Amino acid sequence: MAEVDQGSAFPGEAASPAIDSLNATDSNGTDSTNATVAKFVSTPEGTALAYGSLVLMALLPIFFGALRSVNCAKGKNSSDMPETITSRDAARFPIIASCTLFGLYLFFKIFSEEYINMLLSMYFFVLGILALSHTISPFVNRLFPENFPNKQYQLLFTQGSGENKEEIVNYEFDTKDLFCLCFSSVVGVWYILKKHWIANNLFGLAFALNGVELLHLNNVSTGCILLGGLFVYDVFWVFGTNVMVTVAKSFEAPIKLVFPQDILEKGLAANNFAMLGLGDIVIPGIFIALLLRFDVSLNKNSRTYFYTGFLAYIFGLGLTIFVMHTFKHAQPALLYLVPACTGLPFFVALVKGELTEMFRYEETPPESKEEKETEKKEN
């Protein structure tokens, strides 16, 4: 989370690096890595625009991802089905993330950054195309007229034969999906060739929205375990060691949102970036999405807890930026986001007398639902 947070990024990944290690500078205008470009001092207007844009971009995937998470379990493709995070997964996650982070740190110490980032770029190139295609699909569907000849396709990959045949990949798509893939591929090529910050943000927003939509916490207790564990993870790796900052400066991948503070002076060629890691969006975002699904389960035509969590996120992120800007030091955003996003909804639930009901709320994974329906039919 270089800039707003040199800390966590997308789950299991490192923090956000500079887009271009030779051109990017940090929040105070100092050159990153060994760059020799002249020191740039951001104007108050440019800084305010950059931070405001980051906050807006962070809110978009949380809001729309949460809305889409309510219905994503009804998707026809396996890629549309949510991945349910259990309490055991949540407890192990900070350990896995720490091992991944430290592993990347060792890789960058031992091997050349150029070759590692080349492999990572190709990996995120493929993931980014799929994520962006999935993100824009609902909007593209509205653009096509109803009488559009939309042909259906199926990509099927199996293993074995006869009764032992097992499906490995079974993906259904149509002509509209192909259009989305083509558009996303153009963005992917743009990112690979230019590493432009707009292409980076398109992929970053897609990753964040897909994360909020498709990663489901099964209950509030699991959310508390996950956020609590990553709270410690974020603080330790940012304040306790230089591992996070080292990886952040070396790692080139669209796992952060960026906005140039010198855009008023240099336009789209600006290179003095303020940054926010995707982990600061996805981790609180999946908890806020859970609050929305809890609101829906109450059948009260109210979104009290969702809007409470959403406002708490705005407050926590704003506080992070304020502290970072005041002390001129990168901040672990989850240090402020976790207490805000959990504390305020819990307080509202306590006042309304629904705290017990909130903690009793449980989501059943899609697989379990299918098994139960099968058992009912058999009986």
Side-chain angles (χ1 to χ4, degrees):
M1 297 164 192
E3 257 331 278
V4 172
D5 175 10
Q6 291 275 14
S8 61
F10 195 69
E13 298 296 345
S16 52
I19 292 294
D20 187 333
S21 61
L22 294 180
N23 293 328
T25 55
D26 66 18
S27 59
N28 303 323
T30 55
D31 302 333
S32 65
T33 63
N34 297 321
T36 57
V37 292
K39 180 177 180 179
F40 176 84
V41 179
S42 304
T43 63
E45 294 82 3
T47 301
L49 178 60
Y51 290 156
S53 299
L54 283 180
V55 172
L56 177 61
M57 285 192 292
L59 296 178
L60 290 176
I62 292 179
F63 186 83
F64 290 105
L67 292 177
R68 288 171 59 160
S69 76
V70 175
N71 298 319
C72 76
K74 301 176 182 179
K76 62 182 180 179
N77 298 322
S78 59
S79 59
D80 297 325
M81 302 297 285
E83 181 71 26
T84 302
I85 301 174
T86 64
S87 57
R88 180 179 296 181
D89 298 328
R92 291 185 299 189
F93 193 85
I95 300 174
I96 296 173
S98 296
C99 292
T100 303
L101 178 65
F102 191 67
L104 285 171
Y105 173 78
L106 294 178
F107 268 107
F108 281 116
K109 286 293 184 180
I110 298 173
F111 302 103
S112 170
E113 291 182 16
E114 180 182 357
Y115 298 113
I116 296 175
N117 282 317
M118 186 183 300
L119 292 174
L120 292 172
S121 294
M122 296 307 300
Y123 174 71
F124 282 101
F125 168 75
V126 176
L127 288 185
I129 290 175
L130 296 176
L132 184 58
S133 177
H134 180 266
T135 300
I136 66 175
S137 180
F139 305 102
V140 170
N141 288 338
R142 296 189 182 97
L143 297 177
F144 284 87
E146 294 183 0
N147 59 350
F148 179 79
N150 193 31
K151 296 182 179 180
Q152 301 293 321
Y153 304 92
Q154 182 179 23
L155 180 63
L156 181 62
F157 183 71
T158 62
Q159 175 181 297
S161 60
E163 296 180 355
N164 297 324
K165 183 180 291 186
E166 180 182 357
E167 289 186 0
I168 304 299
V169 176
N170 187 357
Y171 184 72
E172 297 179 5
F173 58 98
D174 53 33
T175 307
K176 297 177 183 178
D177 295 327
L178 286 177
F179 176 84
C180 295
L181 283 172
C182 291
F183 173 81
S184 302
S185 298
V186 172
V187 175
V189 172
W190 182 25
Y191 174 77
I192 286 290
L193 296 179
K194 300 295 183 180
K195 291 294 194 299
H196 198 278
W197 60 273
I198 294 180
N200 173 89
N201 285 349
L202 289 174
F203 275 172
L205 288 169
F207 283 137
L209 191 146
N210 277 271
V212 175
E213 176 188 357
L214 300 175
L215 292 176
H216 284 199
L217 297 165
N218 64 347
N219 55 49
V220 172
S221 298
T222 299
C224 292
I225 294 172
L226 179 65
L227 268 66
L230 290 175
F231 173 92
V232 176
Y233 159 88
D234 216 16
V235 173
F236 173 77
W237 289 111
V238 174
F239 289 147
T241 72
N242 71 333
V243 171
M244 188 74 78
V245 176
T246 301
V247 174
K249 291 179 178 180
S250 307
F251 197 85
E252 291 187 9
I255 56 171
K256 73 281 181 185
L257 299 179
V258 302
F259 199 89
Q261 300 179 79
D262 53 346
I263 191 171
L264 298 177
E265 293 81 11
K266 299 181 180 179
L268 296 181
N271 54 26
N272 181 53
F273 295 104
M275 307 182 188
L276 178 66
L278 295 190
D280 293 333
I281 303 172
V282 175
I283 300 304
I286 60 177
F287 185 78
I288 295 171
L290 175 66
L291 294 178
L292 175 59
R293 296 193 297 276
F294 173 65
D295 277 324
V296 173
S297 72
L298 295 176
N299 295 319
K300 295 182 179 180
N301 294 322
S302 172
R303 300 295 182 265
T304 302
Y305 297 108
F306 171 63
Y307 291 127
T308 300
F310 196 73
L311 291 175
Y313 180 84
I314 297 174
F315 170 77
L317 188 56
L319 182 60
T320 305
I321 294 174
F322 173 77
V323 173
M324 185 208 66
H325 189 68
T326 301
F327 293 99
K328 308 299 181 184
H329 189 280
Q331 298 294 312
L334 294 183
L335 174 65
Y336 309 95
L337 290 172
V338 170
C341 292
T342 56
L344 189 56
F346 290 166
F347 176 75
V348 172
L350 182 63
V351 171
K352 295 183 66 177
E354 296 176 340
L355 187 61
T356 302
E357 189 173 0
M358 175 183 284
F359 274 87
R360 285 178 178 173
Y361 173 69
E362 183 91 19
E363 290 189 351
T364 306
E367 295 82 1
S368 300
K369 292 179 181 179
E370 291 176 2
E371 291 175 0
K372 289 182 179 180
E373 291 177 358
T374 303
E375 291 178 359
K376 288 181 179 179
K377 291 179 181 180
E378 291 178 350
N379 295 332

